[in-house]
């Protein structure tokens, strides 16, 4: 028997522009169907005039403190400076100032560049970096902050209010994707509930998806889906901010990495599935598949629509008219229900799970005495 993967039967949207292939592969390895729709594109570092200007300004007038916020950003900054012929001068500046690294990964990137950080929090928390700076006192100090593709308003504002001069270093910038069609398709899939979860690995990606939905006039529909049927999974609390600002509940791992993010989905999505004892079998209803006694059974969209309609009140008779309304694009012919039921029985591999009630409709052969959960997924 095929062993069901934790994400088998679920569809997951991936909005990442960077490391999307890695994330998609991890999800597919656990059985998920993946819809890739990059919400952003990244301006190449060496082509970014803003970064060049900020680098030249810091070389011309060294800051008192530099805050490195991301490993990939810091490495990219040093590599871009090398490409411009400014690498040695930039390292000379960084070697002579207080260099703070936000966490172990950033500390590793700093040391790989031949530099040594003055301090780094163990938790990767930018809030801890801010607390340390404010405790030291920043009035009159010039602080350069390496930005991770977006401003850090709370961090920067707190430093400015405390009297610091803050210089932003835009290591790379996010722009809308050149091909917007995949993102539009994902937005439509969220509204239609044809994806079970959407992953976000950066706050700009979450903001970009919502901005695009707003431009199309469908943001409220997207938010409604994300507040209920479609799970929003974020790699960390900063990534989640554009969603939580709109009261979207999110799941996120304790460790802010792609691997733990996938593990969170492996726990959360199966927990949302509806599990029922039906005709002596264990039926689990997932996004686009059923699992019967631990065996995944792919079900076509029409069949899944019927199965969900029957499972809303397990064991109750559902009329042909009601089932017809549940069928996508079925029209008015109730024979479409009979055809869809026949195909659903075949897909489940256990025809007795769906009973015909003469002149009334159909019902699941629900047997609550066998145990199971009747929670709607």
């Amino acid at each position: 028997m095929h062993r069901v993967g934790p994400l088998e039967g679920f569809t997951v949207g991936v909005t990442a522009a960077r490391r999307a292939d890695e994330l998609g592969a991890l999800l597919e390895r656990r059985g998920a169907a993946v819809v890739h729709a990059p919400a952003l594109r990244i301006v190449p570092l060496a082509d970014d005039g803003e970064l060049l200007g900020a680098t030249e300004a810091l070389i011309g007038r060294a800051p008192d403190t530099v805050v490195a916020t991301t490993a990939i950003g810091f490495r990219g900054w040093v590599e871009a400076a090398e490409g411009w012929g400014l690498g040695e001068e930039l390292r000379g500046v960084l070697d002579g100032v207080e260099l703070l690294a936000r966490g172990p990964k950033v500390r590793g990137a700093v040391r790989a560049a031949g530099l040594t950080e003055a301090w780094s929090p163990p938790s990767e928390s930018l809030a801890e970096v801010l607390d340390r700076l404010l405790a030291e006192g920043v009035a009159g100090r010039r602080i350069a902050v390496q930005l991770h593709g977006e401003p850090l308003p709370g961090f920067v504002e707190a430093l400015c209010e405390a009297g610091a001069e803050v210089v932003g270093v835009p290591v790379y910038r996010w722009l809308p994707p050149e091909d917007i069609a995949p993102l539009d398709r994902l937005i439509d899939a969220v509204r239609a509930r044809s994806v079970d979860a959407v992953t976000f690995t950066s706050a700009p990606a979450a903001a970009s998806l919502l901005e695009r939905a707003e431009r199309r006039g469908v943001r409220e529909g997207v938010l409604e889906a994300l507040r209920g049927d479609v799970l929003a999974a974020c790699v960390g609390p900063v990534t989640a901010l554009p969603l939580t600002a709109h009261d979207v509940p999110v799941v996120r791992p304790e460790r802010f990495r792609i691997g733990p993010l996938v593990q969170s989905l492996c726990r959360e999505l199966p927990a949302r599935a509806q599990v029922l004892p039906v005709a002596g079998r264990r039926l689990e209803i997932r996004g686009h598949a059923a699992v019967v006694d631990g065996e995944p059974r792919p079900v076509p969209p029409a069949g899944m629509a019927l199965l969900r309609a029957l499972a809303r009140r397990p064991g109750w008779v559902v009329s042909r008219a009601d089932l017809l309304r549940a069928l996508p694009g079925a029209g008015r012919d109730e024979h479409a229900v009979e055809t869809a039921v026949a195909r659903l029985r075949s897909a489940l591999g256990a025809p007795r799970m769906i009973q015909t009630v003469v002149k009334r409709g159909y019902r699941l052969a629900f047997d609550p005495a066998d145990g199971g959960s009747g929670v709607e997924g």
Side-chain angles (χ1 to χ4, degrees):
M1 180 185 294
H2 171 73
R3 185 173 179 271
V4 63
L7 297 180
E8 198 147 0
F10 296 111
T11 303
V12 179
V14 172
T15 61
R18 183 171 59 86
R19 299 180 70 187
D21 291 343
E22 178 185 351
L23 177 53
L26 288 172
L27 292 166
E28 289 174 345
R29 200 173 302 153
R30 288 156 180 79
V34 174
V35 177
H36 182 218
L40 305 161
R41 61 186 168 97
I42 301 171
V43 176
L45 292 165
D47 297 338
D48 197 332
E50 287 189 40
L51 176 59
L52 174 58
T55 302
E56 290 175 333
L58 292 176
I59 290 172
R61 182 186 167 206
D64 300 297
T65 300
V66 174
V67 179
T69 62
T70 64
I72 186 172
F74 188 82
R75 283 195 300 269
W77 184 16
V78 173
E79 289 168 4
E82 293 280 5
W84 297 322
L86 300 174
E88 188 173 336
E89 293 176 81
L90 176 61
R91 273 194 293 271
V93 168
L94 296 175
D95 194 37
V97 304
E98 179 187 45
L99 180 56
L100 305 182
R102 193 213 68 178
K105 287 182 69 176
V106 187
R107 184 172 66 237
V110 167
R111 294 181 181 180
L115 301 164
T116 303
E117 76 287 348
W119 178 79
S120 175
S123 66
E124 301 191 38
S125 168
L126 201 57
E128 285 193 40
V129 178
L130 179 61
D131 289 344
R132 178 185 172 90
L133 286 169
L134 295 178
E136 290 176 347
V138 296
R141 293 173 64 184
R142 191 164 186 255
I143 300 174
V145 180
Q146 172 234 311
L147 303 176
H148 183 64
E150 60 172 331
L152 299 169
F155 186 84
V156 171
E157 286 171 6
L159 292 175
C160 291
E161 288 174 3
E165 176 193 352
V166 179
V167 180
V169 181
V171 175
Y172 51 84
R173 288 182 294 131
W174 305 104
L175 293 175
E178 290 181 340
D179 181 6
I180 204 74
L183 183 58
D184 282 345
R185 287 194 291 269
L186 178 59
I187 288 170
D188 291 338
V190 171
R191 292 169 60 216
R193 279 74 167 172
S194 56
V195 293
D196 302 290
V198 181
T199 61
F200 299 95
T201 55
S202 71
S208 177
L209 183 141
L210 294 180
E211 287 167 9
R212 179 60 183 172
E214 183 174 21
R215 186 168 297 182
R216 293 181 54 201
V218 298
R219 190 180 72 169
E220 284 310 308
V222 169
L223 290 172
E224 182 183 347
L226 291 173
R227 290 174 187 139
D229 299 315
V230 180
L231 180 67
C234 298
V235 78
V238 174
T239 296
L241 287 175
L243 298 167
T244 55
H246 292 283
D247 299 319
V248 172
V250 302
V251 298
R252 57 181 177 84
E254 291 184 8
R255 295 177 61 246
F256 310 149
R257 301 283 189 277
I258 285 178
L261 175 65
V262 173
Q263 292 168 8
S264 294
L265 286 173
C266 289
R267 290 190 300 270
E268 295 290 336
L269 284 179
R272 287 182 160 214
Q274 185 177 10
V275 180
L276 300 169
V278 179
R281 297 172 180 267
R282 182 183 187 273
L283 172 65
E284 183 179 346
I285 303 173
R286 296 191 170 194
H288 60 263
V291 179
V292 180
D293 289 342
E295 181 181 357
R297 308 287 304 190
V299 178
M304 286 305 301
L306 287 188
L307 187 56
R308 292 188 185 284
L310 292 167
R312 284 192 188 101
R313 301 180 76 181
W316 289 60
V317 177
V318 183
S319 71
R320 285 180 174 81
D322 287 342
L323 290 175
L324 183 63
R325 281 190 286 272
L327 278 178
R332 298 181 178 179
D333 186 357
E334 290 191 3
H335 289 296
V337 173
E338 296 175 15
T339 301
V341 168
R343 290 175 178 167
L344 174 58
R345 284 171 168 155
S346 176
L348 293 174
R352 290 191 301 165
M353 296 179 77
I354 300 174
Q355 296 176 336
T356 302
V357 182
V358 178
K359 296 183 180 180
R360 292 182 59 198
Y362 300 91
R363 64 184 291 273
L364 284 180
F366 178 60
D367 186 3
D370 285 346
S373 168
V375 177
E376 185 75 14

